[in-house]
Amino acid sequence: MKFVFLLASTVAMAAPTFNRDIAPILYENCATCHRPGEVAPFSLLTYQDAAKRASLIATVTKKRYMPPWKPEPGYGNFDHVRALTDDQIARIQEWAATGAAEGDAADRPAVPAFPTGWQAGEPDQVLKVSEPYSLTADGPDRFRCFVLPMNLTKESYVSGAEFRPGNPKIVHHALIFLDSTGTARRLAASSGGAGYQCFGGPGFSGAGLVMGWAPGYTPLPAEPSLSQAVRPGTDVVIQIHYHPSGKPEQDQSSIGLKFSGPPTKGRALLLVMNRYLDIPAGESHYVVKGSVTVPQDAELWGITPHAHYLATDMKINARLPDDSVIPLIWIKDWDFNWQGQYRYQQPIKLPKGTKIELEYVYDNSARNPHNPSHPPVRVRFGEQTKDEMALAFLGLVLPSPADVQPFQRAVVLQYVEDFVRLTEDLNDLPEEIPPAMAMRLRLGLAMFDRNHDGKLDAEERANLLKLVQTMMPQ
Ligand code: HEC
């Protein structure tokens, strides 16, 4: 008994070695990105690779900068969380502090095998960017949209999508949209070459976001009950964020699609946002709030917060009709380079009337190392690098496909209502509305200003909304 205890304590006290203690941690938590050909700048598979960076590894893991995972624990129970335990972090510290020993070769685990093919099963259709895109060795990050025609001959139902980077070394993240308007095609045709430049969005509105991708992302299996209808003429548009690797590189990414029959449940994307941010140059703590109400019972399965470089802190809560609050996500140190689509372990029930509340904080001072403007400038909502955004996509499931249209209708009406409330005073329209549009808007709104006092009172607003409602498709 005493002997066992003694043995246990000597083992516990022995300095950690790479082969016995560290390699298993790195293989499980780091190697997805830190291996040859992947996004991270160096591999961490061999003792030599890891040992020469032991103190750097100790520093970045202690600060929880690596593995990259932004959501705060306790705010949303997410799937595929990337995090080391306190114990693992302590082991790494100890290993670095005691000289980063290699240890006994017999202890060393096998290098893990990584899947090379499609991870969510063989797709029914593979769409590949038509020609390789060339990226210079250095310079700023590039944002490019590529248009991939689906060439559908009849209405079809997409039940799954998996993005595959052509060159994982330079693809930092990707967003996949559907465009049935032909706008993306026109943008690509007028830019020449493979695709067109785009930053904050794909450059067209009404785009359905199919999915997001970032290094280490585990694709979802196909879900026929939630398939999405797509019309002939629809294009897949992939927006890719490229980060130069130090060498000239090429990329030709692809997407694999799965098809099925019509859905049996409804799938809706709820956008919560605030377009009226206006951040003064130099302001270090600018708070933006936004909200949207869930118009009917729904289940939330995932969330994708989005902003550009100035955002620092992002919080989204669900306030239920009984005023209780479910924290959905909190990111305390937003990093544009590590944005993700986060999925909950269990879908969250959101009863009708739940208010989704967004609160983001921005630092537009010169002290913010991510600030793209030197010196800082006034910043408003927009798609360009130097503009900002305050939004989040919420992935919802509704009981039946028939619920989707009334749901979207109610949400659009809410947006219109919020806008009408904001433009209540015809002589004091929000400054970010361009002058020509403000002029037309003033003329249009004035038609509802029955008593000609230059403002839309509650009754006048209600009349306007009634008209909008009758104009919306049933
Ligand atoms: C999802 C991909 C991914 C995972 C998982 C990941 N890394 Fe990284 N790592 C990167 C990328 C990309 C960079 C370079 C850009 C950056 O620093 O953000 C990086 C940079 C680093 C750096 C250099 C930091 C610096 O300041 O120069 C170290 C050290 C590091 N990672 C260690 C680790 C360790 C240890 C783990 C596992 C515990 C890990 N990483 C997991 C992608 C990843």
Side-chain angles (χ1 to χ4, degrees):
M1 195 57 202
K2 208 167 195 176
F3 175 71
V4 172
F5 174 73
L6 248 172
L7 189 71
S9 58
T10 23
V11 168
M13 275 162 58
T17 70
F18 176 80
N19 288 338
R20 188 187 58 217
D21 306 278
I22 305 304
I25 302 176
L26 302 186
Y27 290 178
E28 190 177 333
N29 299 280
C30 320
T32 34
C33 303
H34 287 273
R35 66 188 149 104
E38 290 297 323
V39 66
F42 47 83
S43 165
L44 286 177
L45 294 182
T46 66
Y47 169 69
Q48 285 71 20
D49 283 331
K52 67 178 178 215
R53 301 184 176 92
S55 72
L56 187 60
I57 292 172
T59 309
V60 299
T61 49
K62 183 150 190 232
K63 285 194 202 148
R64 294 192 178 273
Y65 174 63
M66 286 286 150
W69 180 258
K70 292 287 151 187
E72 217 27 48
Y75 288 77
N77 288 323
F78 295 105
D79 238 354
H80 301 293
V81 173
R82 271 196 298 260
L84 299 183
T85 62
D86 292 343
D87 219 51
Q88 289 173 320
I89 294 174
R91 289 253 103 178
I92 295 174
Q93 305 304 305
E94 213 186 325
W95 176 65
T98 53
E102 180 169 14
D104 193 341
D107 291 339
R108 188 172 169 187
V111 172
F114 291 93
T116 50
W118 296 97
Q119 289 180 55
E122 220 31 58
D124 299 319
Q125 186 186 21
V126 175
L127 301 172
K128 191 170 186 173
V129 173
S130 61
E131 51 185 286
Y133 174 70
S134 299
L135 189 68
T136 49
D138 33 42
D141 286 10
R142 246 52 64 79
F143 298 85
R144 193 104 189 146
C145 280
F146 300 99
V147 185
L148 288 68
M150 293 176 77
N151 299 319
L152 296 174
T153 50
K154 58 176 173 36
E155 184 172 60
S156 307
Y157 299 90
V158 175
S159 57
E162 177 174 348
F163 173 78
R164 209 154 125 186
N167 182 346
K169 270 186 280 194
I170 54 172
V171 177
H172 217 292
H173 79 258
L175 293 175
I176 289 107
F177 302 90
L178 290 175
D179 178 29
S180 54
T181 65
T183 314
R185 278 185 205 192
R186 282 194 293 279
L187 288 168
S190 61
S191 91
Y196 57 96
Q197 198 184 317
C198 58
F199 175 73
F204 51 90
S205 59
L209 173 77
V210 181
M211 60 172 291
W213 179 92
Y217 181 80
T218 313
L220 277 174
E223 184 53 73
S225 70
L226 289 172
S227 63
Q228 189 167 346
V230 271
R231 295 200 298 267
T234 300
D235 298 324
V236 170
V237 180
I238 309 184
Q239 181 192 31
I240 300 183
H241 168 186
Y242 289 111
H243 184 67
S245 73
K247 298 196 189 100
E249 303 272 359
Q250 288 202 325
D251 171 56
Q252 198 171 6
S253 290
S254 45
I255 182 164
L257 300 173
K258 285 264 207 193
F259 294 96
S260 70
T264 52
K265 290 189 209 159
R267 176 192 158 112
L269 206 59
L270 183 65
L271 185 63
V272 50
M273 70 165 168
N274 184 332
R275 299 179 60 92
Y276 301 104
L277 50 89
D278 186 353
I279 316 174
E283 167 73 60
S284 65
H285 191 89
Y286 182 84
V287 180
V288 172
K289 294 185 184 188
S291 69
V292 66
T293 301
V294 182
Q296 59 180 264
D297 291 0
E299 281 191 348
L300 174 69
W301 60 266
I303 191 162
T304 310
H306 182 73
H308 294 172
Y309 293 103
L310 299 179
T312 53
D313 186 295
M314 300 163 109
K315 200 185 271 180
I316 301 170
N317 288 328
R319 187 176 294 280
L320 305 199
D322 67 4
D323 219 34
S324 59
V325 172
I326 303 180
L328 297 184
I329 193 165
W330 186 15
I331 294 178
K332 280 184 178 170
D333 55 345
W334 166 256
D335 181 343
F336 181 84
N337 290 321
W338 287 115
Q339 43 188 310
Q341 187 184 47
Y342 301 101
R343 301 198 296 257
Y344 296 98
Q345 276 172 19
Q346 293 291 330
I348 300 175
K349 283 197 163 58
L350 301 177
K352 170 182 176 170
T354 298
K355 203 167 168 197
I356 307 298
E357 301 175 332
L358 162 158
E359 186 172 325
Y360 290 1
V361 180
Y362 298 79
D363 179 357
N364 190 14
S365 71
R367 265 172 321 204
N368 181 352
H370 303 296
N371 199 329
S373 302
H374 312 279
V377 296
R378 174 186 185 186
V379 171
R380 288 183 278 183
F381 191 91
E383 286 200 355
Q384 301 309 309
T385 321
K386 293 185 174 186
D387 302 327
E388 257 307 334
M389 286 202 166
L391 57 88
F393 295 101
L394 278 71
L396 298 176
V397 174
L398 308 176
S400 135
D403 295 323
V404 176
Q405 186 147 15
F407 182 97
Q408 301 293 18
R409 230 177 104 87
V411 171
V412 170
L413 256 184
Q414 254 187 75
Y415 297 150
V416 175
E417 220 164 299
D418 290 346
F419 182 72
V420 168
R421 202 173 307 122
L422 200 83
T423 53
E424 195 174 320
D425 189 339
L426 307 190
N427 299 313
D428 187 22
L429 294 180
E431 260 188 76
E432 41 290 292
I433 300 178
M437 188 181 156
M439 171 104 133
R440 271 181 310 214
L441 200 61
R442 229 173 257 127
L443 280 174
L445 293 174
M447 292 197 301
F448 291 87
D449 179 19
R450 296 246 173 98
N451 59 8
H452 307 291
D453 65 350
K455 295 196 169 56
L456 294 182
D457 59 33
E459 195 191 331
E460 290 162 350
R461 285 206 305 271
N463 286 334
L464 169 55
L465 288 172
K466 240 182 256 159
L467 180 76
V468 171
Q469 219 161 345
T470 58
M471 283 161 53
M472 285 171 68
Q474 284 302 318

